[in-house]
Amino acid sequence: MSTSVRRSIVVRRPVDDVAAVATDPRVLLPIIGGLGRFQELATDADGLGEWDLFIDIGSVDVGGRVVVERPGPLQLSWRAIRGTRHQLELTVYEHGEESEVVIVMSLQLAGFLLGRVAETLARGIMARHLDAGLQQLRHHVEFGG
């Protein structure tokens, strides 16, 4: 069983300006730091590669080792390779003269009944973290960081 959350925000800047921040993990992760804690491990010059990433779900941190990738110039993603199964996909779209940033995050917890209850609770917490992170990203891009 798994749960997924999708959130988006419009940023009043051109798509290239937004993508430069939103697809750079070394810039993005500190901006959306409320999501959890993270540590860069084995990465290339662009910060892509292995990170330890733990998401704050209430009083519990879930996560583990992830691989951060940039599938395209307007995208950033990560997927778990160890620990709690989770993944995130961030995409920046043109939205007229502005940009829209869309984040989809999925989480899978073990267990049948208890896992389902935990995923339901986690969904709301993840949504709040993503909303806050997107607001921080918007503020950083629109007003400078």
Side-chain angles (χ1 to χ4, degrees):
M1 301 191 150
S2 67
T3 189
S4 185
V5 175
R6 181 185 188 277
R7 291 291 188 260
S8 66
I9 194 165
V10 173
V11 181
R12 295 179 304 236
R13 291 290 180 267
V15 71
D16 291 336
D17 293 350
V18 176
V21 173
T23 64
D24 183 342
R26 290 184 178 131
V27 176
L28 178 72
L29 289 174
I31 291 171
I32 61 170
L35 182 64
R37 59 187 170 86
F38 48 88
Q39 180 180 1
E40 189 172 350
L41 298 174
T43 61
D44 64 13
D46 294 326
L48 305 175
E50 291 187 8
W51 290 70
D52 273 346
L53 190 122
F54 293 89
I55 305 160
D56 295 332
I57 305 292
S59 60
V60 178
D61 288 346
V62 298
R65 180 95 13 108
V66 299
V67 173
V68 177
E69 301 170 318
R70 189 176 298 126
L74 303 176
Q75 297 174 302
L76 184 74
S77 67
W78 73 61
R79 60 181 168 76
I81 57 173
R82 187 171 70 198
T84 304
R85 294 181 192 167
H86 66 286
Q87 64 184 31
L88 178 134
E89 295 177 8
L90 179 148
T91 307
V92 181
Y93 297 99
E94 284 191 39
H95 188 77
E97 294 181 11
E98 301 172 333
S99 303
E100 181 182 23
V101 180
V102 176
I103 295 181
V104 179
M105 183 173 210
S106 300
L107 172 71
Q108 183 177 6
L109 299 173
F112 183 67
L113 182 58
L114 290 178
R116 188 66 179 153
V117 170
E119 286 172 351
T120 301
L121 295 172
R123 180 178 170 78
I125 295 168
M126 287 175 10
R128 287 190 295 278
H129 283 314
L130 292 180
D131 286 335
L134 284 170
Q135 288 293 341
Q136 290 173 303
L137 172 64
R138 182 191 61 77
H139 189 271
H140 179 86
V141 174
E142 289 181 2
F143 302 107

